[in-house]
Amino acid sequence: MDLAWMLPAIVVVPLLSAAIVGYFRNTWSKSLVSWVACGSVAISFALTVAVAAQYWGGGAVAPIRSALTSWGSLLDLGLVADGLSLWWALVVTGAGLLIHIYSTAYMREDESYGRFMAKMNFFIFAMTLLVLSDNFVGLAMGWGCVGLASYMLIGFYFTRPGAQNAAIKAFVMNIIGEAGLFAGIAFIYANFGSFKFDDVFGAIAQGPVSASALNLIGLLLLIGAAAKSAQLPLHTWLPYAMEGPTPVSALIHAATMVTAGVYLVSRAYPIYEVATGAAMAVAWIGGLGALFGALVAAGQFDIKRVLAFSTLSQIGYMFLANGLGAYVAADFHFFTHAFFKACLFLAAGIVVHHYGGDQDIRHMGGLWYRDRFAGLTFGAAALALIGLPPFAGFFSKDEILLAAYSQGQWALFAIAMVAAGLTAFYNVRLFSLVFLGDAYVPPAKPAGKKRSRAQAAAEEAAHAHGHSHGHDHATPAAMKWPVAILAVLSVVSGWLFFGHVQLTALEPAFPTLELHHESVNPVVAGLSVAVALAGGLISWYLYRPAGARRAVELDPLHKPGILYNMFYVDTLYDVAFVQPARATAEFVGDLFDPRGIDGVVNGLGALSRGLGGLLRRWQSGLVRSYVLTVFAGVLLVVAYYMFYV
């Protein structure tokens, strides 16, 4: 049975829903909006499952293709369902459906509910277009639409200055990345005369192809991947993106969009197989990102920012795997990470729901005794993130560590191990401060010491939060069920898809690589578990209920400092780029534009007026003046011919 027609439907149905919901958002009831918005994603997911069943059920003989246009090599666009694109499309539509269902309860009371659901549908369209395209042009179109969707959803609360600034920051950083991506795609066409994956990768396989050209292309693609996936040094937009609603954080900044860079490198693996220099750049950016994100997460107070930097760290692991050629490990970790990180964000939404919108973990505590469901699901996802067996993260992260270990990349292996220990550290800290003990209340200032109004207000707010725990909110079933399903997947998705099943699914996407059925390496697995346990125990010693308050008060790691301020990278960018740009704009706006550009224009106008005034004097209406003018003109002409001609 030919299911090629389903591929365009997977992409188009959410787009149609976005348009319909957006148009009728103010006239339809919220229930109808919910059914249409969620139903469109459910249809896309069902179609993806049907295509995947035929592809993998038929032995994965050949990819399933659907042509969209055939207007020459420039616009020969189509969709493809192979092991890699289906692996990603299942997560995009499956996790997207769960998050849509969660949103129906979480965003229900928002007056712009219809607008929110329309934008969420548009994101699903953009992401499915990105992963199902069979060419670089379609991928770039999806890439740009994903950036637009991210901008709209981060800035959903557009009346808040913080949301406006966060959306602009994300958009600008992604535009920088897109400049690199588009330049890389242009070089691909210049070298291969086609945008089709099959044509480009086939030409590379036949060889010989200039390694320097492929290294340049690989580095340009890496710029786009790093910006979209919030990797160093283009990561600064990610923590501010938490200004968007919690479902946005789960969908865009945990499960799908920020991993698009991982997909790009995996899809372009034939380029990186030859461009070894670019591949090592991918590996080192990933390794340093894994360490950086874990360090900064350990010093944050905002529950969503902790999870945001955790995302940066985990995507760093995926980049590390891709750079080392362990593409299956990278895509396997994407798969498990989508479930446990989405679960953490959605469970964090339940936590924030309990605290009336407050996201500061210093104002939390003891929630385990009032909402066991949130504690269990958050804890299961956190253990998967830490990478302890038998939770999902253990199996996927272990393969990444094994890739570095087996290739003798000892520096990257050590960095990844340290990041694993820090991952356990900040997760235990987070769980203890949120779910155990009592709420943290800042100590009162010593008597006789004057406090500013801001300090007094902050302390009063903290005390109010510390004493408001009895006013918990009931969690709707539409929020609980998606979190429960994601929590189960956080446990079972690792061992269900580990080894044979995972390789059977992804092997056809990497036909030129020699893949092995990886088993758990006792040395690597034992060391990673030991490091994780050590990091968790240190954190437990500091943040256990008996000592958590003292740890928060006294530990220098958790005062606003180098970790809280994200190693001052934002400050550096502000000094190096933002302030000079603003100074230039002010110079142009206040001095150069009014006195230079406007001065020239105004000067020409004044000159014209002056010349007009002189000419106007000749137009006196007196005949004798005109005769004199003619006579003077004749004399000048005669003099010219006498003396010069």
Side-chain angles (χ1 to χ4, degrees):
M1 181 180 178
D2 185 13
L3 300 182
W5 64 270
M6 290 186 178
L7 296 181
I10 293 170
V11 177
V12 171
V13 168
L15 178 62
L16 289 175
S17 175
I20 293 170
V21 170
Y23 185 80
F24 290 106
R25 68 187 187 278
N26 294 324
T27 56
W28 282 0
S29 67
K30 290 182 177 179
S31 296
L32 183 55
V33 167
S34 300
W35 278 105
V36 173
C38 294
S40 67
V41 183
I43 291 171
S44 286
F45 176 62
L47 294 175
T48 305
V49 170
V51 175
Q54 184 188 49
Y55 176 75
W56 284 312
V61 177
I64 300 170
R65 302 183 182 278
S66 176
L68 299 179
T69 66
S70 56
W71 301 335
S73 61
L74 281 174
L75 286 175
D76 186 7
L77 307 180
L79 303 175
V80 63
D82 60 8
L84 185 63
S85 63
L86 285 173
W87 185 264
W88 280 71
L90 283 170
V91 173
V92 170
T93 55
L97 175 59
L98 293 174
I99 296 168
H100 268 70
I101 294 171
Y102 178 96
S103 300
T104 60
Y106 190 89
M107 299 295 294
R108 188 77 172 187
E109 301 305 319
D110 196 287
E111 61 182 9
S112 298
Y113 176 75
R115 177 169 61 89
F116 177 81
M117 297 304 285
K119 291 177 179 179
M120 293 282 278
N121 277 176
F122 180 79
F123 172 81
I124 297 294
F125 148 74
M127 198 68 198
T128 51
L129 175 62
L130 191 158
V131 300
L132 290 174
S133 290
D134 69 350
N135 60 91
F136 283 102
V137 172
L139 183 148
M141 292 169 63
W143 196 277
C145 289
V146 163
L148 174 60
S150 174
Y151 171 80
M152 293 190 297
L153 287 167
I154 293 170
F156 177 74
Y157 298 120
F158 57 86
T159 57
R160 300 179 185 175
Q164 296 174 12
N165 294 333
I168 293 171
K169 191 164 194 169
F171 192 76
V172 169
M173 280 299 192
N174 277 278
I175 287 295
I176 293 171
E178 285 169 12
L181 174 68
F182 296 158
I185 293 174
F187 275 104
I188 287 173
Y189 188 81
N191 282 273
F192 301 101
S194 176
F195 294 116
K196 300 282 285 187
F197 295 149
D198 288 348
D199 295 342
V200 174
F201 301 153
I204 294 173
Q206 292 174 5
V209 181
S210 170
S212 59
L214 290 180
N215 271 300
L216 175 60
I217 291 170
L219 290 173
L220 289 171
L221 295 181
L222 175 58
I223 294 173
K228 189 68 74 180
S229 292
Q231 291 298 290
L232 298 173
L234 302 175
H235 65 283
T236 53
W237 64 270
L238 185 64
Y240 300 97
M242 299 302 111
E243 288 286 343
T246 295
V248 173
S249 302
L251 179 64
I252 293 184
H253 308 115
T256 53
M257 190 202 86
V258 288
T259 51
V262 180
Y263 173 81
L264 175 62
V265 178
S266 292
R267 175 57 75 186
Y269 83 92
I271 295 174
Y272 290 98
E273 285 295 295
V274 179
T276 54
M280 285 310 298
V282 173
W284 274 100
I285 283 178
L288 294 175
L291 180 61
F292 176 88
L295 275 170
V296 175
Q300 299 301 306
F301 301 134
D302 186 303
I303 186 172
K304 287 173 65 176
R305 280 206 178 187
V306 174
L307 297 178
F309 281 105
S310 170
T311 299
L312 191 162
S313 180
Q314 295 304 303
I315 295 175
Y317 275 106
M318 300 175 208
F319 268 68
L320 171 60
N322 269 335
L324 296 177
Y327 306 105
V328 172
D331 292 300
F332 185 33
H333 196 54
F334 150 76
F335 185 80
T336 60
H337 174 265
F339 300 131
F340 62 69
K341 187 54 65 64
C343 181
L344 283 169
F345 267 109
L346 297 186
I350 295 175
V351 171
V352 172
H353 189 64
H354 277 290
Y355 289 95
D358 186 17
Q359 298 178 183
D360 195 322
I361 60 176
R362 295 169 296 178
H363 302 159
M364 301 178 184
L367 189 58
W368 172 265
Y369 308 105
R370 297 186 306 281
D371 192 338
R372 195 61 56 89
F373 173 82
L376 287 171
T377 53
F378 194 98
L383 290 171
L385 173 56
I386 291 170
L388 293 179
F391 295 89
F394 166 76
F395 297 95
S396 55
K397 188 185 291 186
D398 183 73
E399 288 199 53
I400 298 173
L401 296 171
L402 181 59
Y405 177 82
S406 60
Q407 294 182 29
Q409 297 287 346
W410 304 118
L412 289 171
F413 179 73
I415 289 173
M417 278 293 180
V418 173
L422 289 168
T423 301
F425 181 91
Y426 68 71
N427 272 286
V428 172
R429 166 185 180 256
L430 183 61
F431 188 87
S432 181
L433 291 178
V434 172
F435 290 98
L436 306 178
D438 297 321
Y440 169 71
V441 179
K445 293 288 182 182
K449 214 168 187 179
K450 284 189 77 175
R451 296 179 299 166
S452 68
R453 289 186 180 179
Q455 288 173 325
E459 290 177 15
E460 288 172 10
H463 279 278
H465 283 296
H467 295 291
S468 65
H469 290 168
H471 304 288
D472 291 325
H473 302 275
T475 304
M479 289 171 63
K480 282 189 172 182
W481 277 108
V483 176
I485 294 170
L486 289 168
V488 172
L489 290 171
S490 299
V491 179
V492 305
S493 62
W495 50 269
L496 281 181
F497 290 93
F498 180 66
H500 176 73
V501 175
Q502 172 218 138
L503 286 175
T504 302
L506 287 169
E507 188 170 6
F510 308 107
T512 63
L513 299 182
E514 183 180 353
L515 301 176
H516 302 281
H517 294 265
E518 301 287 5
S519 59
V520 175
N521 183 293
V523 175
V524 174
L527 187 57
S528 67
V529 170
V531 169
L533 289 175
L537 288 173
I538 293 171
S539 183
W540 177 254
Y541 174 77
L542 292 172
Y543 296 103
R544 66 194 188 282
R549 182 174 300 178
R550 180 172 176 81
V552 173
E553 291 174 8
L554 301 179
D555 194 330
L557 284 178
H558 308 291
K559 294 180 180 178
I562 190 169
L563 297 187
Y564 178 79
N565 289 291
M566 302 166 281
F567 286 91
Y568 297 99
V569 176
D570 262 354
T571 305
L572 174 63
Y573 285 177
D574 185 67
V575 172
F577 301 108
V578 178
Q579 291 184 19
R582 284 179 176 169
T584 303
E586 289 174 359
F587 170 76
V588 170
D590 298 340
L591 183 64
F592 183 72
D593 193 25
R595 299 187 183 182
I597 304 299
D598 287 353
V600 171
V601 175
N602 295 335
L604 290 173
L607 178 62
S608 298
R609 286 195 301 271
L611 292 173
L614 289 174
L615 292 173
R616 188 170 60 248
R617 293 182 181 179
W618 293 101
Q619 307 301 316
S620 61
L622 299 176
V623 175
R624 62 177 179 271
S625 297
Y626 299 151
V627 172
L628 181 62
T629 301
V630 172
F631 181 70
V634 170
L635 288 178
L636 289 173
V637 171
V638 171
Y640 173 76
Y641 276 93
M642 287 178 62
F643 292 104
Y644 292 98
V645 179

